[in-house]
Amino acid sequence: PGGVTSGQVSDIAFGLKDASKAWGVHLVGGDTNEAPELIVDCLMVGFAEGFVGRAGAMPGEAVVTTGLFGLPPAGLGVLAGGAKGTGRFREAAVQSVLRPDPDLQLGLRLRGAWTSSMDSSDGLARSLHTLASESGVKMELASLPVADGVEEFSEANGLEPERLVLNGGEEYLIVGTMPS
């Protein structure tokens, strides 16, 4: 859009370059168009010798995640200007949106343990529902994986922490199952 500075474009380009190095991927193309909003859309294509699908969960297995939930939806609330956050929590929440950092190596180290898995970019609730549905099992959670500060942030902003954790999305964590 008009108003985007060359410095902002450089920041995006350097961010893509940093991500390509961190995750061992190659940038192979791009396209630019003018639009009212700035849109960056990425597509990744790769090859694997094998993968863990969504349909392998078995009754009695543990439901696990590779991290805690709630920071990105809180960060989006702060960035949109409707939510208040303070201190380190605010910084962590905003950075989780501006510089997402999926732990690809952890997922790869656990690949032999997963019986089912998927990313959580559409929210924890949707990920759990998808895994349970495709595996033909029911899932019960003993507790929710809530990031530090999410409960306080929710209370200060009149929100339900469970809603941020279950429905927020954009965490880029792995949700899956494995033998207990």
Side-chain angles (χ1 to χ4, degrees):
V4 172
T5 68
S6 60
Q8 291 169 316
V9 172
S10 291
D11 286 347
I12 292 168
F14 284 117
L16 290 169
K17 180 180 176 185
D18 290 348
S20 71
K21 284 183 182 177
W23 296 319
V25 298
H26 301 283
L27 299 175
V28 296
D31 189 16
T32 57
N33 289 296
E34 188 171 340
E37 296 89 25
L38 179 62
I39 301 166
V40 178
D41 190 15
C42 298
L43 168 71
M44 297 183 76
V45 177
F47 301 94
E49 293 176 14
F51 70 95
V52 178
R54 298 175 176 181
M58 302 294 291
E61 290 187 325
V63 177
V64 297
T65 69
T66 56
L68 302 174
F69 287 73
L71 284 178
L76 286 170
V78 169
L79 289 169
K84 298 173 190 78
T86 60
R88 283 189 225 150
F89 177 82
R90 182 185 194 285
E91 179 66 20
V94 168
Q95 285 304 306
S96 74
V97 174
L98 299 179
R99 292 196 61 94
D101 188 19
D103 193 344
L104 175 62
Q105 294 307 313
L106 176 58
L108 291 173
R109 286 193 308 272
L110 293 172
R111 71 177 157 225
W114 299 111
T115 56
S116 70
S117 70
M118 67 181 291
D119 74 271
S120 63
S121 60
D122 289 333
L124 178 58
R126 182 167 291 195
S127 298
L128 293 169
H129 174 76
T130 300
L131 291 172
S133 177
E134 293 201 20
S135 296
V137 298
K138 293 182 180 181
M139 293 187 178
E140 285 185 31
L141 302 180
S143 62
L144 290 176
V146 182
D148 290 340
V150 168
E151 291 175 351
E152 294 83 2
F153 171 84
S154 297
E155 185 177 317
N157 288 283
L159 304 169
E160 297 175 33
E162 295 84 6
R163 187 175 293 273
L164 287 179
V165 169
L166 290 168
N167 301 324
E170 306 308 324
E171 269 91 2
Y172 303 108
L173 300 169
I174 300 172
V175 178
T177 57
M178 58 181 59
S180 298

